[in-house]
Amino acid sequence: MTTEIAPQPDQGRTVRHATVLLPQPRGVVPPVTARRMRRALLGYAAAWLLGLLPALLGAGPAFVALGLGVVLPGGGLLATGHPLWALAAAVVFVLSLAVWWFAAPVVLPPLVWLAAAVVSACTAGAQPVPMWRVAVVAAMAPVLLVAAHLVHRVRHAAQVRTGRALNARLAGVQFAVTGPPALATDLPVAESSPEDLARLRYALDLALQPLEEFDGFTHLDQYREAALRYQLNALSYGVAMSQFTRTPAFTGYLAEAQANAITKMLQRRVWGYWARENAWGNLSPRRDPVANRENIMLTGFHGLMVGMFETLNDDRFSRTGGLTYRWSDTEAYAHDFGALAASIHRNMAGSDYTLFPCEPNWVYSICNTYGLNTLVSHDRLHGTGYVPDIIGRLRDAYETEFLRPDGRIIGIRAGHLGLSWNFWASPSIQLNTAYWLHAGLPEIAQRTWWLLRENQLTLDGARLALPFSSSNRLDPGDYTLGRDTFGLVAVTMAAREIGDEEYAAAAQATLDEREPVASADGAHRYAEASGLANLYGVLGRFGRSSGMRDLLTHGAPEAWRTGPHLAGAAYPDVLVARAVTDGRALDLTLLPGGGPVRTALALDRLTPHRTYTTSGALADTVTADADGHALVEVDLGGRLEIRVH
């Protein structure tokens, strides 16, 4: 149920109020997932029957052991009297599933399964395999499958009851979905504190080093969350958000930092993982990371970096070849922003889930929010119609295939099997998904936040805590288990975006009180948290109510795109705490990055040959040249306000 209301005069923007209930489940297993599970079960049933044939036909012990090894990983070893070997085979098989999830080698579990079967055939001996052992091995998988189904039904029924109780409460809740601002002055532009700027400097120092260097980044693997690409993503998002909410009339080193992060993504050391994953996950030799199917963990995440950058700066990455992924001196794949968006749309339109895999087989609900956000920004910037074409199906998928009856978003499904697990329905997953869904599916995002606030998060005075669990204590940026630092960072992001400043401030205060700070050349970071956690901390710190939604869905107002603006300032001598234009005047707040300094500020988008009055600068006036450029000198020894009008 949704109700439109008139623009609120104090904000100059429309607000749509909506009551958003949890949907009625479409069966114990959602329809698309059920189809995939049936297909997988039919495939296994055929293998199960084939594996039993040697025993039923009275074949020799080696063939019986081989067949039972096909029936169950390690089954042949168990049937031939090697229980410890069978246990070892089962453990190795489970580990192969973990590796499959970690790095997508789809061939690994079948190879381990078959290898155990071959070993059982080679060690079977001459004695016939007793039929009771055949029966035990044959029954194990069906019994386990039936037990798993019964457990799922019991849990599903409990979740349905919880969902009904939650809907009784949700019926009285209305969520506010903001529309576009009428004027630039309707969007708040805050001033960064010295601590805000110190946190931003951590991201800037990483981004402004030479393109070939990655000093200060975490180097563990290139497959999971600690990969370089995810650090570059978070870095770019945080800097872009700081530009949008604090300094929309300043490009300079903020634009350079984002452009550097986008360009670093084009290096083989960052995107080359895909050649391996596509080979062992899709059995394809193609290395192109965009033209191939799947791979939203690159196209969606990289595309969002570009969409945010282009909204605030320029369209260099939308030009032909603007995003060229180079494999070697003789092999490169020339793409652009449009190619990333087209790839995402093609994959979503061609998937029965609409959501599609981040990497071969594994469909993550959060990864697909980045793809949706790429399409949202591309539609606005380039007039494409990707989002209207898929948004209905995407909403339905999030509400059925990727939602539990109790309102928890399902974080992952195995594309081939349809399976998921509770670890990926934890509050940390919910928080991040709610944040990134707010631009494209705001009602689902706000309902998710409400459910978390009401049922999962604990506010004790001005401090906040997440439920105690391993998933909430995991720092995905370096895979360490400890405090809930990354989860609290996610709270600052989601709460601030939804507009719940009480919870955002409590999470930030908890972090600031508890986490030791490391300082280097004026840059601050949480000393015991990963780089990824720190970079997302920048994003959360600079967010505001509907900040990401405004940036992606509505973009920068016309006055911000055309009015006088600060094009350049020396970093780190000049820290820009606030920069905003109303289309005619430019207002700046600057802080020194070190000691007192006399420096020049580069202005542009001035009216050619017009003389402007300045306050706070060394000269009282400045005259623009024929291109609308000018230099303004300032003495910067402390906080300094400058106005050019």
Side-chain angles (χ1 to χ4, degrees):
M1 179 178 65
T2 62
T3 305
E4 295 283 351
I5 67 172
Q8 298 178 358
D10 60 329
Q11 292 181 329
R13 62 196 303 172
T14 57
V15 177
R16 174 167 52 85
H17 283 102
T19 298
V20 190
L21 302 181
L22 295 170
Q24 198 66 21
R26 299 183 194 173
V28 177
V29 179
V32 175
T33 299
R35 287 199 300 271
R36 296 195 179 197
M37 286 183 170
R38 284 194 296 268
R39 182 180 63 194
L41 285 172
L42 285 173
Y44 174 70
W48 186 83
L49 289 172
L50 183 66
L52 287 179
L53 279 180
L56 296 176
L57 296 175
F63 288 103
V64 172
L66 180 65
L68 294 177
V70 171
V71 166
L72 190 73
L77 293 166
L78 182 63
T80 55
H82 301 94
L84 293 180
W85 288 14
L87 178 62
V91 169
V92 173
F93 179 72
V94 170
L95 291 175
S96 75
L97 293 176
V99 175
W100 179 31
W101 167 68
F102 187 88
V106 68
V107 296
L108 185 60
L111 286 176
V112 170
W113 193 332
L114 290 175
V118 171
V119 170
S120 68
C122 294
T123 59
Q127 295 297 319
V129 178
M131 287 305 296
W132 70 267
R133 291 185 181 176
V134 173
V136 168
V137 171
M140 288 182 73
V143 168
L144 289 173
L145 288 171
V146 170
H149 179 69
L150 292 175
V151 169
H152 174 73
R153 292 188 72 94
V154 170
R155 290 171 56 187
H156 182 269
Q159 292 167 7
V160 169
R161 291 192 296 271
T162 300
R164 289 173 182 159
L166 289 170
N167 271 343
R169 296 163 61 192
L170 280 166
V173 179
Q174 284 201 326
F175 303 112
V177 180
T178 57
L183 301 168
T185 52
D186 296 326
L187 289 180
V189 178
E191 179 180 330
S192 295
S193 69
E195 182 60 24
D196 292 339
L197 294 170
R199 299 290 177 163
L200 181 61
R201 288 181 69 171
Y202 169 70
L204 293 174
D205 288 348
L206 290 175
L208 295 175
Q209 62 183 301
L211 291 175
E212 298 76 20
E213 295 180 9
F214 286 81
D215 294 342
F217 285 82
T218 301
H219 299 265
L220 290 177
D221 70 274
Q222 299 309 318
Y223 298 104
R224 301 298 309 179
E225 290 82 354
L228 289 172
R229 63 184 179 276
Y230 293 126
Q231 296 170 69
L232 291 168
N233 300 151
L235 190 163
S236 185
Y237 304 151
V239 175
M241 185 58 70
S242 79
Q243 186 180 1
F244 185 63
T245 63
R246 309 297 175 88
T247 59
F250 172 49
T251 51
Y253 53 75
L254 296 183
E256 182 184 355
Q258 295 168 65
N260 282 1
I262 292 168
T263 304
K264 281 175 178 283
M265 289 282 293
L266 303 172
Q267 297 184 30
R268 176 175 168 176
R269 67 190 299 182
V270 176
W271 70 268
Y273 73 92
W274 173 248
R276 296 182 291 275
E277 286 202 354
N278 200 34
W280 63 43
N282 289 324
L283 306 183
S284 169
R286 299 182 64 190
R287 290 196 279 252
D288 190 326
V290 176
N292 278 305
R293 64 191 179 95
E294 304 178 349
N295 200 20
I296 198 173
M297 60 183 168
L298 182 84
T299 55
F301 285 70
H302 201 188
L304 179 55
M305 295 168 76
V306 177
M308 296 171 76
F309 174 86
E310 186 169 322
T311 297
L312 298 169
N313 300 290
D314 60 61
D315 66 352
R316 73 185 76 173
F317 299 111
S318 287
R319 300 167 195 164
T320 302
L323 296 171
T324 297
Y325 300 84
R326 184 160 298 281
W327 180 264
S328 67
D329 291 339
T330 58
E331 182 180 351
Y333 303 98
H335 294 292
D336 52 37
F337 185 27
L340 297 182
S343 175
I344 295 165
H345 177 259
R346 181 178 67 251
N347 277 277
M348 285 185 170
S351 168
D352 55 355
Y353 272 139
T354 310
L355 286 76
F356 69 96
C358 298
E359 51 206 344
N361 176 68
W362 302 105
V363 183
Y364 289 84
S365 53
I366 188 169
C367 289
N368 278 266
T369 64
Y370 292 85
L372 171 59
N373 288 331
T374 296
L375 299 185
V376 167
S377 59
H378 192 274
D379 278 359
R380 175 179 48 77
L381 289 163
H382 296 280
T384 47
Y386 293 141
V387 173
D389 185 54
I390 54 90
I391 194 64
R393 290 178 53 202
L394 196 63
R395 179 184 290 107
D396 185 66
Y398 273 107
E399 291 284 69
T400 56
E401 306 293 338
F402 289 84
L403 188 73
R404 291 183 357 183
D406 60 1
R408 289 199 183 191
I409 293 171
I410 295 170
I412 185 175
R413 283 203 183 277
H416 300 315
L417 306 177
L419 299 176
S420 184
W421 50 87
N422 280 341
F423 181 86
W424 284 94
S426 68
S428 289
I429 298 296
Q430 311 293 305
L431 287 162
N432 283 282
T433 307
Y435 177 81
W436 293 109
L437 266 182
H438 196 232
L441 292 170
E443 296 92 343
I444 297 177
Q446 294 198 34
R447 183 187 66 201
T448 302
W449 167 254
W450 184 89
L451 291 170
L452 285 163
R453 174 178 168 138
E454 294 295 307
N455 303 296
Q456 298 288 317
L457 306 179
T458 302
L459 191 65
D460 183 9
R463 300 297 179 265
L464 187 139
L466 279 73
F468 186 87
S469 68
S470 58
S471 56
N472 288 335
R473 261 65 188 170
L474 174 67
D475 187 334
D478 58 13
Y479 314 131
T480 57
L481 282 171
R483 292 194 291 259
D484 54 355
T485 304
F486 194 89
L488 288 172
V489 165
V491 172
T492 67
M493 292 165 54
R496 198 153 274 147
E497 173 68 20
I498 299 302
D500 194 333
E501 187 57 32
E502 178 188 17
Y503 272 64
Q508 189 68 68
T510 304
L511 287 167
D512 292 344
E513 177 184 272
R514 189 185 72 188
E515 296 296 318
V517 174
S519 180
D521 299 322
H524 291 178
R525 67 183 299 261
Y526 297 127
E528 297 178 1
S530 68
L532 187 69
N534 275 282
L535 291 168
Y536 274 121
V538 172
L539 180 59
R541 181 177 289 271
F542 286 96
R544 62 161 171 78
S545 178
S546 289
M548 186 60 70
R549 176 171 169 77
D550 282 343
L551 175 55
L552 298 180
T553 306
H554 309 311
E558 179 69 17
W560 289 6
R561 298 193 302 269
T562 59
H565 113 291
L566 177 61
Y571 178 83
D573 294 340
V574 180
L575 302 179
V576 184
R578 188 173 186 269
V580 67
T581 178
D582 60 2
R584 295 171 297 177
L586 173 65
D587 289 286
L588 305 173
T589 304
L590 310 178
L591 274 72
V597 63
R598 173 169 293 186
T599 186
L601 308 175
L603 311 182
D604 67 3
R605 296 205 306 238
L606 305 174
T607 302
H609 306 300
R610 175 171 291 180
T611 297
Y612 288 76
T613 300
T614 63
S615 59
L618 291 180
D620 294 332
T621 62
V622 63
T623 301
D625 65 16
D627 296 317
H629 299 163
L631 292 176
V632 174
E633 279 199 319
V634 298
D635 278 335
L636 186 58
R639 181 181 179 278
L640 177 64
E641 292 186 6
I642 298 172
R643 181 171 175 80
V644 181
H645 61 97

